[in-house]
Amino acid sequence: MPADPVAITRELLRCPSVTPAEGGALSYLETTLKAAGFTVHRKVFSEPGTDDVENFYARIGTEAPHLTFAGHTDVVPTGDEKAWKHPPFGGDIDNGELYGRGAVDMKGGIGCAVAAVLDHLAAHGGRPQKGSISFLITGDEESIAVNGTPKLLQWVDGMGEKFDHCILGEPSNQEEMGDTIKIGRRGSLNGHLIVTGKQGHVAYPQRADNPVRGIVKLIDALLSEPLDAGNANFQPSNMEFVSVDVGNKTVNLIPGEARAMFNIRFNDCHTLESLKALLQQRAEKAAGGKIKFEFKFQPSNAGVFVTKPGPFTELVANAVKETTGRAPALSTTGGTSDARFITHYCPVVEFGLVGQTMHAIDERVPIADLRALTTIYRKIVDRYFG
């Protein structure tokens, strides 16, 4: 009898694993995969000033090629539970849809991957057709992503294990199943531009130096010229200033400092360091030695990555098209994901459910989508090892 992705997902949804709590989700996966012959490791990672996070690694097989399914069982908070049509941790089915926090992001994707792998193993005597299959699951993706996937990857690498390819089951599709495969993500850089002037009375501007004039000039210079023109895989990088503040509540006071906060979503024309250098260069040119300024950048682990189209992306795309009838777009849009860590160990693509209700009240997934995704994953696994 085929494994049921709906039943597996329902069990996961009934685990209140609000980040970084494990909530029973990893324990359920451990029981399920151990029964199928997987070797399972539960690893807790910590760092001063952060929450301890429990992570999960399970593998069956010892040879190459090694295909891993990655994901996270932690979920965002539910918000007002009374506003939900069905309890957020109930796993209720209503009118062909499965409700629960994490149904889309991304317990549904994990449930489908587990079902597809169990079916593949059952069809081949309880072992992979050849090679190895693993699950790399974190409880830290919806939080600060410090004690989850990056440390779990380091631990696996320290054990001498290598991945050949990875499928991350994030909700990649935009409108309907099969419309999008994520082959990369833009990087993200947050920071402040700080201009220092001299405080004074507005009636005596000659005795002061208004930093507002300087910060306006620098913002204009930083935004007036594109950071790049984009390329075949990425749209142009984009800088957005999201606040400008002088901390001034008095109309007759020239402030001594002005701050502007910004975010840049950048493509692979830049690294974090080259992008910082470019901003410094452009600001210095605009300042002309007359404006005192500095950048303060927030620590970032959100670098850019792309998995170039090739045999692996083609394999995934063909499985999607055969199942859904749609030729998926290969996209690099959207925010960040744990794929930014995985890319340092092996090529990775993201393909999961439709992201319409992720993080929303009444998060839910059509039963038909769970079954379609399981079929897609099964085709990928069979052909990868076939």
Side-chain angles (χ1 to χ4, degrees):
M1 182 176 180
D4 185 358
V6 179
I8 296 171
T9 302
R10 291 184 82 181
E11 290 299 323
L12 290 172
L13 290 177
R14 289 167 177 159
C15 300
S17 53
V18 175
T19 191
E22 183 269 334
L26 298 183
S27 296
Y28 170 73
L29 290 176
E30 179 178 16
T31 299
T32 302
L33 293 177
K34 272 188 173 180
F38 281 79
T39 300
V40 176
H41 302 273
R42 301 271 292 271
K43 301 297 296 182
V44 176
F45 299 114
S46 60
E47 194 167 295
T50 66
D51 293 311
D52 291 352
V53 175
E54 189 164 4
N55 302 275
F56 178 96
Y57 177 65
R59 177 172 177 170
I60 189 167
T62 58
E63 305 298 325
H66 182 180
L67 176 65
T68 189
F69 284 90
H72 62 92
T73 53
D74 64 316
V75 297
V76 296
T78 63
D80 182 6
E81 293 193 15
K82 294 179 181 178
W84 285 68
K85 183 178 181 182
H86 297 282
F89 298 113
D92 293 350
I93 296 175
D94 183 5
N95 197 30
E97 295 184 305
L98 176 59
Y99 283 73
R101 174 58 84 225
V104 170
D105 189 14
M106 58 162 282
K107 291 179 176 180
I110 293 173
C112 294
V114 170
V117 169
L118 293 180
D119 286 346
H120 174 84
L121 296 177
H124 295 90
R127 304 291 292 177
Q129 186 174 357
K130 63 179 180 180
S132 305
I133 302 173
S134 64
F135 288 90
L136 191 81
I137 310 295
T138 182
D140 190 30
E141 198 274 347
E142 298 290 6
S143 184
I144 58 176
V146 169
N147 294 320
T149 297
K151 290 185 177 177
L152 185 59
L153 285 164
Q154 292 170 9
W155 178 82
V156 173
D157 187 61
M159 296 282 286
E161 299 195 21
K162 304 297 180 185
F163 305 110
D164 290 292
H165 293 91
C166 176
I167 297 172
L168 177 59
E170 287 283 1
S172 61
N173 294 286
Q174 305 300 301
E175 302 293 336
E176 52 191 356
M177 279 298 297
D179 64 21
T180 306
I181 296 171
K182 299 281 189 180
I183 62 167
R185 297 276 188 164
R186 295 173 296 173
S188 180
L189 176 63
N190 297 316
H192 285 86
L193 170 63
I194 304 166
V195 173
T196 303
K198 182 180 179 182
Q199 191 180 88
H201 197 294
V202 295
Y204 302 94
Q206 69 276 14
R207 300 175 183 172
D209 179 13
N210 194 335
V212 174
R213 291 190 177 90
I215 204 163
V216 168
K217 183 175 182 179
L218 295 188
I219 289 174
D220 180 65
L222 291 168
L223 294 180
S224 62
E225 185 180 352
L227 293 168
D228 56 71
N231 55 39
N233 293 311
F234 287 95
Q235 64 195 78
S237 301
N238 183 63
M239 182 178 197
E240 292 291 343
F241 282 91
V242 296
S243 75
V244 179
D245 183 40
V246 296
N248 194 356
K249 298 181 180 179
T250 305
V251 298
N252 63 352
L253 177 69
I254 294 173
E257 181 182 271
R259 289 174 169 255
M261 184 166 59
F262 61 86
N263 171 267
I264 301 176
R265 295 301 168 103
F266 62 95
N267 59 38
D268 59 352
C269 295
H270 311 274
T271 65
L272 284 167
E273 294 310 313
S274 70
L275 186 58
K276 293 175 183 178
L278 177 61
L279 296 180
Q280 183 72 26
Q281 177 186 356
R282 291 186 176 182
E284 287 179 357
K285 181 178 179 181
K290 298 179 180 179
I291 301 171
K292 185 179 179 181
F293 74 92
E294 66 173 323
F295 288 103
K296 287 191 176 180
F297 299 103
Q298 294 180 5
S300 176
N301 56 17
V304 62
F305 84 93
V306 63
T307 297
K308 303 291 185 181
F312 182 60
T313 56
E314 184 177 350
L315 184 154
V316 176
N318 286 341
V320 172
K321 186 176 181 179
E322 288 178 16
T323 304
T324 67
R326 301 181 186 93
L330 302 182
S331 172
T332 58
T333 60
T336 60
S337 74
D338 277 358
R340 68 190 188 271
F341 307 120
I342 300 168
T343 189
H344 298 296
Y345 295 83
C346 70
V348 54
V349 300
E350 298 178 43
F351 187 78
L353 295 163
V354 180
Q356 290 288 313
T357 63
M358 60 180 176
H359 293 200
I361 297 294
D362 288 334
E363 183 176 351
R364 60 196 182 275
V365 58
I367 298 299
D369 284 3
L370 290 174
R371 301 205 183 281
L373 182 58
T374 303
T375 299
I376 291 167
Y377 284 162
R378 175 67 191 280
K379 289 179 184 290
I380 293 170
V381 173
D382 287 349
R383 293 170 186 179
Y384 188 85
F385 295 107

